[in-house]
Amino acid sequence: MSSRFVRPVVVQVGRHDRERVIFDVNDAATILLRSFHDRTKKRKLAMDACLQVLRGEAHPLVARRAFVVAALEAKILRSD
């Protein structure tokens, strides 16, 4: 099973950073691990969803939705 998102997600982690286009679960997991400073429940749910996709237990859409929710909470979402 592919880990690519049907539609990419655009985030901007820092106010002065360039926008990043997130194409798949690996990109999302990297952002969640390295760029999310707050260890919130939504971040944890997004990480868990990414791991489930990587293990072949869930569809990438599940991880994408969870990532979007976490990115909204962190105020880094630019486009969904």
Side-chain angles (χ1 to χ4, degrees), residues 8 10 12 29 31 44 58 71 74:
V10 180
Q12 185 175 5
I31 293 289
K44 182 181 181 329

Side-chain angles (χ1 to χ4, degrees), residues 5-62:
F5 295 153
V6 174
R7 285 183 323 166
V9 179
V10 180
V11 296
Q12 185 175 5
V13 176
R15 193 176 6 211
H16 302 294
D17 293 343
R18 288 194 331 249
E19 289 183 343
R20 299 226 4 223
V21 181
I22 309 304
F23 291 101
D24 63 23
V25 172
N26 291 314
D27 292 344
T30 299
I31 293 289
L32 289 164
L33 282 171
R34 295 185 183 161
S35 302
F36 275 58
H37 304 296
D38 295 329
R39 305 289 193 234
T40 66
K41 184 174 182 177
K42 290 178 182 173
R43 177 193 173 272
K44 182 181 181 329
L45 290 172
M47 281 299 306
D48 290 346
C50 288
L51 290 172
Q52 288 173 358
V53 172
L54 294 173
R55 289 191 300 249
E57 300 168 357
H59 190 276
L61 183 58
V62 173

